[in-house]
Amino acid sequence: SNPSETIARSLDGEQPYPSLHVKGIAIPVNKDGVDMACDAHKQCIFTVAIGLAASSKRIKIERRGRNIDAITKAKAVHQGPESIESALCEAVLSIVSTNEGLVEYSDDAGDYYCNELYYRLLRQSRSTLFIHIPDENQLPIDESKRVIGEIIELLAAKLVC
């Protein structure tokens, strides 16, 4: 199974901050999944989306989503800007620093559904992060889950209180 799905489901219902509950959902990797995530995103204080980057050896915090349709490679949103940056990257700088060699920033979320999803979520709210995780052959799933849990806790502390 996809480790990003496993992590999302395992975080569902966690409470990293007294007034905050994590809603972990797994979505299909297609247009319906993008729509499903965008609908769920409307009810969130912030969103951390997770995707698989099978060939990566590190966890990648994506800085921006680009306006690229996953299938046609044309603009995903006709009148939209070329890219949108997350407002949360600076907030998780300490995670990158304390997990040096394991976590890094990335400026390329790809040109498939991960990127299109990120772009569309950022259009709704820049309080969104997309994190690509390696396949479990590259990095144990528990390690990816630990880092994502730390990111959620840090964002909850900064954004909820």
Side-chain angles (χ1 to χ4, degrees):
S1 73
N2 185 327
S4 58
E5 177 181 347
T6 303
I7 291 170
R9 290 186 191 281
S10 71
L11 291 171
D12 187 45
E14 286 198 5
Q15 194 171 356
Y17 201 78
S19 61
L20 180 77
H21 293 273
V22 174
K23 178 67 180 152
I25 61 171
I27 61 167
V29 182
N30 57 31
K31 292 283 187 198
D32 290 341
V34 171
D35 291 342
M36 184 188 314
C38 287
D39 285 344
H41 180 62
K42 292 174 186 171
Q43 303 162 15
C44 298
I45 296 169
F46 66 91
T47 296
V48 176
I50 311 164
L52 177 64
S55 62
S56 180
K57 291 182 176 16
R58 294 187 177 113
I59 296 169
K60 296 183 182 223
I61 298 172
E62 302 296 347
R63 287 190 173 116
R64 67 182 51 89
R66 293 176 296 132
N67 191 359
I68 300 171
D69 183 278
I71 300 301
T72 68
K73 307 306 181 207
K75 279 191 160 191
V77 178
H78 181 66
Q79 298 293 332
E82 291 300 313
S83 67
I84 304 172
E85 289 196 23
S86 171
L88 301 181
C89 287
E90 282 296 313
V92 297
L93 182 60
S94 64
I95 302 285
V96 177
S97 300
T98 58
N99 290 280
E100 190 176 337
L102 177 64
V103 182
E104 64 187 10
Y105 286 117
S106 166
D107 289 316
D108 185 3
D111 63 0
Y112 200 50
Y113 285 111
C114 290
N115 174 72
E116 183 176 344
L117 170 63
Y118 196 24
Y119 181 82
R120 289 180 184 270
L121 292 174
L122 287 166
R123 272 185 53 90
Q124 287 179 291
S125 169
R126 291 184 56 230
S127 291
T128 302
L129 272 184
F130 194 98
I131 301 171
H132 269 120
I133 61 169
D135 186 84
E136 43 195 328
N137 295 329
Q138 300 289 337
L139 184 69
I141 195 167
D142 287 345
E143 194 67 2
S144 292
K145 181 183 174 189
R146 177 190 64 78
V147 170
I148 290 168
E150 286 179 10
I151 289 169
I152 291 170
E153 287 180 22
L154 182 63
L155 292 175
K158 289 185 177 201
L159 299 175
V160 177
C161 60

